[in-house]
Amino acid sequence: MYKVINVMAGICLITMGLSACGSDNDDHSIVVKQPIKEPLSDCFWQGPYVIDNPKTNFAFPDTGSTYWSAKYTLPEGANLRLKGDFPYARYMSINSYREDTTPAYTISDSKIIPNQNNINPFMNGNARNNLNRAYALNITSGEAPEAGGIANTIYDATKSGNPSLLVYRVYVADKGKSLMGGVKLPQVELTTRQGEVLTGEAACSALKASNEIVSIPLLSADTYAKARQNNPAQQIPVWRASYSMLHSIQCDFYGVCDTDPVRSVGYYANLDNQYISTFVDRNIKPIVVIRGKIPSVPKTYNAEQTFNTKNAQLRYWSICQNEFYSQKVTSCLFDEQIDTNSKGEFTIVTSLSEDRPKNAIKECGVGYLKWSDQGDGFSIVKGREDHKTDGRLIIRNMLPTSNFYNAIQNTQKPGDESQVLGEYLPKAEYYTKQEFEALGCNPS
């Protein structure tokens, strides 16, 4: 499942790529947790990648999202199609990836043309609960043309005879719906060179579809151990936009931040997201309080009748607490899970469960993120020990509107986060349990 790479040699792994579903946020959670009894997959789609499954909790997943991978080889001269229904959810997409795990091509919900006499529920003003929501996508070998791709077509960026990889994502399924958003996974249809149409197991067999979970690289243990001699957490936490793991190691651990990094989106990253993150350490004080403002998003969780993006600034926003080395997520909150005051501002506490303040509850307007007992999760490597007081907070922005200039996507160089995000850049502060409880209910 994991591979080891040497970042300092210039091989960069994902900063935050894969995503998962479910929620670990007790009283603040509005996502219906669904224990995994049987894998929710088929012969083509493998997964789901969820926090509840230790085998798929890697690559800094977001608990507001679920996704599946498909690895296959397209027979020469064959045509591959995916037939599905748009999920009852906030967002969906299908991405193809190159052999080096960088994204090749992405098609997200609003860009998909529905079948005749069907609707796309992700278009502004469209009915979200219409039963006629079918679509079909063509999968084509090779890179997309420079002039742009054909409608409803995914380009897999692989040469004939080489394995291809797709990832299917669903964010925030409507309340009461399944992880897939109340619909089936997209179904595969293969037309052979001879004109035979194959579906289900027959198609998977012809495609040599893999039933394995994708593997994710780990930072070299020796490289990390050397870097971690320098504590990346600061007394006043600093939010930094993500460019690559190489830049994060250089900047956060060695203080070499004044560079001109290229934003890397390797290792199955979602091109529709960008991120800021900060390191925190319970040795400074056992509680970190995050205060800020969430950009407006379309409300979908309660099965709203129409998809309304009129006043939206982003499609989706979330904050997560993670283990840096193992890439595991401990807990997340997404936009509709977070209470805000009359000014649209939020307060979120993160700590170990035993250090949670009494007023860090929904009734006091405070969100809560559980801090991992394993800190950075370094013990995932045999013979290594966790830095148990470490934590890493990650904030995601998805699909900003063209007129929302404060999105993470608009950062261009290290250090411009405050200028670009403005009032949407949160502030994080350390507290003791007693200090935060002394603020009473509805602390600001």
Side-chain angles (χ1 to χ4, degrees):
M1 177 172 60
Y2 288 100
K3 297 177 183 177
V4 176
I5 62 174
N6 190 334
V7 165
M8 301 311 287
I11 305 175
C12 304
L13 66 86
I14 181 175
T15 46
M16 305 92 187
L18 297 185
S19 304
C21 189
S23 180
D24 191 25
N25 302 305
D26 46 59
D27 60 294
H28 259 72
S29 175
I30 58 173
V31 173
V32 179
K33 288 196 72 172
Q34 304 185 34
I36 304 172
K37 297 179 180 179
E38 298 292 338
L40 300 175
S41 59
D42 58 26
C43 64
F44 188 73
W45 296 109
Q46 302 306 309
Y49 292 76
V50 291
I51 188 174
D52 303 280
N53 185 351
K55 294 182 179 180
T56 60
N57 185 359
F58 54 73
F60 307 103
D62 184 332
T63 61
S65 171
T66 311
Y67 64 164
W68 293 258
S69 63
K71 190 174 184 179
Y72 62 92
T73 302
L74 185 65
E76 186 175 354
N79 294 314
L80 179 61
R81 301 188 82 201
L82 295 175
K83 294 183 175 181
D85 288 331
F86 292 103
Y88 296 82
R90 175 79 63 81
Y91 163 92
M92 62 83 69
S93 68
I94 298 177
N95 295 253
S96 63
Y97 294 86
R98 300 183 180 88
E99 291 184 13
D100 65 357
T101 75
T102 58
Y105 196 80
T106 300
I107 188 164
S108 52
D109 45 43
S110 62
K111 297 177 181 178
I112 299 173
I113 301 171
N115 292 353
Q116 188 174 4
N117 299 322
N118 286 260
I119 70 158
N120 182 333
F122 294 96
M123 299 297 292
N124 184 51
N126 276 4
R128 296 189 63 251
N129 300 312
N130 191 305
L131 297 178
N132 300 315
R133 53 201 305 118
Y135 65 86
L137 300 174
N138 297 307
I139 313 298
T140 299
S141 294
E143 296 279 355
E146 292 185 6
I150 301 171
N152 283 29
T153 300
I154 299 174
Y155 298 85
D156 65 14
T158 59
K159 297 180 180 179
S160 178
N162 290 347
S164 302
L165 182 73
L166 303 178
V167 173
Y168 173 60
R169 289 175 167 87
V170 175
Y171 277 67
V172 191
D174 287 7
K175 184 177 182 180
K177 297 293 185 182
S178 66
L179 295 177
M180 290 88 74
V183 299
K184 294 181 179 179
L185 293 168
Q187 299 298 294
V188 63
E189 179 185 274
L190 181 70
T191 303
T192 68
R193 171 187 277 180
Q194 294 75 26
E196 184 179 7
V197 178
L198 305 176
T199 60
E201 293 287 349
C204 288
S205 178
L207 289 163
K208 299 179 182 178
S210 172
N211 61 1
E212 296 181 354
I213 296 296
V214 298
S215 60
I216 289 293
L218 284 173
L219 179 63
S220 160
D222 289 340
T223 296
Y224 178 66
K226 182 178 180 180
R228 187 53 189 81
Q229 293 176 13
N230 305 310
N231 191 338
Q234 300 186 28
Q235 292 280 344
I236 300 176
V238 177
W239 295 97
R240 305 186 194 278
S242 296
Y243 289 90
S244 68
M245 183 59 73
L246 175 60
H247 179 258
S248 180
I249 294 295
Q250 292 174 332
C251 181
D252 292 302
F253 291 87
Y254 293 103
V256 182
C257 302
D258 188 17
T259 60
D260 187 22
V262 175
R263 194 164 253 145
S264 172
V265 290
Y267 294 94
Y268 315 119
N270 185 354
L271 284 174
D272 289 336
N273 281 335
Q274 287 298 339
Y275 318 86
I276 55 172
S277 61
T278 187
F279 286 90
V280 288
D281 186 348
R282 291 187 290 103
N283 270 332
I284 297 175
K285 284 186 180 180
I287 293 167
V288 173
V289 180
I290 307 101
R291 296 182 175 94
K293 187 174 182 179
I294 302 174
S296 58
V297 300
K299 306 297 185 184
T300 60
Y301 179 71
N302 290 305
E304 279 75 4
Q305 292 298 307
T306 59
F307 195 68
N308 185 0
T309 62
K310 182 178 179 181
N311 297 314
Q313 296 166 312
L314 298 176
R315 177 71 72 86
Y316 175 86
W317 184 100
S318 71
I319 181 170
C320 296
Q321 174 66 277
N322 307 264
E323 298 175 8
F324 176 70
Y325 188 81
S326 72
Q327 310 170 16
K328 293 181 180 180
V329 67
T330 307
S331 58
C332 299
L333 292 168
F334 66 82
D335 42 58
E336 285 196 75
Q337 290 178 307
I338 301 170
D339 293 319
T340 57
N341 62 19
S342 59
K343 298 179 182 179
E345 300 165 336
F346 67 84
T347 301
I348 293 172
V349 166
T350 182
S351 71
L352 294 180
S353 298
E354 57 266 32
D355 292 326
R356 181 175 182 172
K358 294 179 180 179
N359 53 339
I361 56 175
K362 182 178 180 63
E363 290 73 15
C364 289
V366 180
Y368 181 73
L369 295 173
K370 184 180 181 300
W371 199 313
S372 172
D373 294 328
Q374 281 70 51
D376 62 355
F378 198 22
S379 63
I380 195 171
V381 176
K382 186 176 180 180
R384 303 290 183 167
E385 295 184 359
D386 297 323
H387 298 88
K388 287 185 174 295
T389 61
D390 285 11
R392 197 185 198 199
L393 296 169
I394 297 171
I395 289 177
R396 289 167 171 80
N397 282 189
M398 175 190 283
L399 291 176
T401 58
S402 59
N403 60 353
F404 181 54
Y405 306 111
N406 302 113
I408 299 170
Q409 281 82 346
N410 293 322
T411 56
Q412 297 181 359
K413 59 182 180 180
D416 70 357
E417 295 84 0
S418 179
Q419 177 184 350
V420 173
L421 272 68
E423 63 180 338
Y424 298 99
L425 182 69
K427 294 182 179 179
E429 296 179 84
Y430 288 94
Y431 284 77
T432 65
K433 183 177 181 179
Q434 294 75 19
E435 286 172 340
F436 190 77
E437 288 180 344
L439 299 178
C441 207
N442 297 309
S444 60

